[in-house]
Amino acid sequence: MLKNEVNYEEKGIVFNIQRFSVNDGPGLRTIVFLKGCPLSCRWCSNPESQNKHRQVMFNIKNCIDCHQCEEVCKMGAIDFKFNYRIDRNKCVNCGECIENCYSGALTMSGEEMTVQQVIDELKKESIQFRRSKGGVTLSGGEPLMQSKFTLELLKACKSMGWHTTIETTAYCSEKVIKDILPWVDLVLLDIKTLDTNKHFEYIGVNNEIILENAKKIIQFGIETIIRVPVIPEFNADKKSIEDIAKFAKGLNKVNEVHLLPYHKYGVNKYECIGKEYGMRKKINTPSNDVMVKFKTIVEDLGICCNIGAH
Ligand code: SF4
Ligand code: SF4
């Protein structure tokens, strides 16, 4: 296959396609969320994105206790005595219980789609992309984890003339970066802390690969914005933000850092996938005053800084 020939039959697992976003790249964007992430950030607001496979979600608030699911499950994975209802060790995510759940308490996160199917969805917004100078953003999860699918999807987007953005943790091999970047216009690069021990403790992996890959992405010459989730008890302190700002400065070509205040939007989803939320529930969003102080730290190093993802 030629380098820019697209395999429209390549398949990936997509868990959401969100239209009309103004936060994840220039203009109006459609965001394609891909399943799978090698990181497990304790505060993750899309915990259903971490597992790379399709996954049943159970929302007890919608359940009417009809027991239909229990009757149809051949694996014996539904147990009303079980804390989160589904025994994940037995469940094979076949989806039969969902088809028999008429209240919507059971849903599937993740759908297998071909590149062609995603492009067909994206085409619905192509006029908006042109008018607003927007485009497509691939997010997750970690879009580089489904690297073959991401590559083909990016190539297909470029063949349509659309602006492409990836939101990435950069936790991947050098080969993946080299393959993918020629098809990317903007990288939104998450850097969470320079403290290796803390990174491992709160995220489950070391940060060396991420920091090395950050340098490679910059060397590639692609516009890059560094995004920092500002998380109390993790990195919401002067030193952590200063360290990241200095790292960004050292990369030379980073003109923009976005500080994203901690929020709890995804907390309720943890129960739906049978997981405990990894942060203390009493932690609050950093105040605007605190965020402004962090913004000043970044700006004092001569880097443009926004609070939020604008
Ligand atoms: S997805 Fe399949 S295996 Fe899992 S609980 Fe539902 S019916 Fe059982
Ligand atoms: S089928 Fe749906 S509504 Fe009925 S018990 Fe199962 S989860 Fe609850």
Side-chain angles (χ1 to χ4, degrees):
M1 186 181 278
L2 293 171
K3 206 180 159 210
N4 49 4
E5 202 175 317
V6 181
N7 177 6
Y8 286 94
E9 294 309 308
E10 186 68 43
K11 288 178 182 155
I13 308 284
V14 175
F15 74 94
N16 193 10
I17 295 181
Q18 186 185 310
R19 302 170 201 284
F20 305 117
S21 170
V22 289
N23 292 331
D24 300 283
L28 277 177
R29 324 274 320 162
T30 297
I31 311 175
V32 182
F33 290 91
L34 302 177
K35 286 264 280 167
C37 185
L39 277 56
S40 44
C41 305
R42 288 193 191 178
W43 57 85
C44 181
S45 56
N46 286 325
E48 77 279 27
S49 73
Q50 293 177 350
N51 185 316
K52 66 181 176 182
H53 303 291
R54 285 171 7 122
Q55 192 175 18
V56 180
M57 294 181 79
F58 169 65
N59 187 342
I60 197 163
K61 289 192 190 111
N62 294 336
C63 178
I64 53 169
D65 280 339
C66 68
H67 287 247
Q68 283 284 341
C69 51
E70 195 179 25
E71 281 170 34
V72 296
C73 179
K74 295 183 186 75
M75 305 305 294
I78 307 250
D79 186 343
F80 277 66
K81 293 192 281 318
F82 205 71
N83 223 359
Y84 298 117
R85 187 68 60 85
I86 300 170
D87 184 340
R88 302 280 166 177
N89 292 322
K90 291 183 182 166
C91 175
V92 292
N93 294 301
C94 67
E96 247 176 82
C97 54
I98 297 169
E99 282 167 31
N100 289 276
C101 175
Y102 302 111
S103 72
L106 290 163
T107 52
M108 184 65 82
S109 168
E111 182 189 349
E112 189 175 72
M113 294 180 84
T114 63
V115 169
Q116 185 62 60
Q117 285 171 321
V118 178
I119 291 292
D120 289 344
E121 284 300 311
L122 297 171
K123 273 181 185 166
K124 294 174 188 168
E125 258 62 64
S126 60
I127 294 172
Q128 302 301 336
F129 296 161
R130 205 174 54 244
R131 283 193 185 145
S132 69
K133 297 196 169 66
V136 180
T137 299
L138 303 191
S139 183
E142 167 52 69
L144 301 185
M145 201 165 165
Q146 296 191 48
S147 58
K148 277 189 184 170
F149 180 70
T150 293
L151 175 61
E152 298 304 324
L153 185 53
L154 286 167
K155 279 158 60 177
C157 289
K158 290 316 292 176
S159 75
M160 297 295 296
W162 298 332
H163 179 280
T164 57
T165 297
I166 56 165
E167 190 185 0
T168 180
T169 65
Y171 193 87
C172 63
S173 70
E174 188 176 352
K175 180 178 182 321
V176 167
I177 287 194
K178 282 189 175 156
D179 287 348
I180 299 273
L181 286 190
W183 312 98
V184 177
D185 296 306
L186 170 67
V187 178
L188 302 174
L189 174 61
D190 284 10
I191 302 281
K192 286 143 180 135
T193 180
L194 264 60
D195 182 326
T196 306
N197 293 332
K198 223 180 216 183
H199 201 280
F200 188 79
E201 187 188 340
Y202 278 77
I203 296 172
V205 298
N206 290 331
N207 59 359
E208 282 98 347
I209 293 174
I210 293 169
L211 300 179
E212 275 311 304
N213 281 342
K215 291 175 196 159
K216 285 173 193 141
I217 290 168
I218 299 295
Q219 280 161 11
F220 217 89
I222 295 190
E223 185 188 355
T224 301
I225 295 173
I226 287 189
R227 286 181 151 187
V228 185
V230 178
I231 313 293
E233 299 183 0
F234 172 69
N235 67 355
D237 58 85
K238 184 173 180 277
K239 183 176 183 318
S240 298
I241 301 298
E242 206 167 54
D243 285 350
I244 295 173
K246 283 180 183 164
F247 176 77
K249 179 84 179 166
L251 293 171
N252 285 325
K253 288 178 189 150
V254 173
N255 300 321
E256 224 173 313
V257 169
H258 292 175
L259 300 177
L260 315 181
Y262 169 74
H263 60 74
K264 296 181 189 172
Y265 300 146
V267 172
N268 294 335
K269 293 198 237 173
Y270 280 79
E271 285 184 1
C272 297
I273 57 165
K275 260 186 151 181
E276 295 280 342
Y277 185 53
M279 302 293 286
R280 283 196 306 116
K281 286 210 172 141
K282 287 202 174 136
I283 292 179
N284 291 320
T285 300
S287 69
N288 195 47
D289 285 356
V290 167
M291 292 303 295
V292 169
K293 277 184 193 148
F294 292 151
K295 180 175 187 278
T296 307
I297 291 171
V298 180
E299 287 173 338
D300 284 350
L301 287 167
I303 303 171
C304 173
C305 181
N306 286 330
I307 297 171
H310 301 292

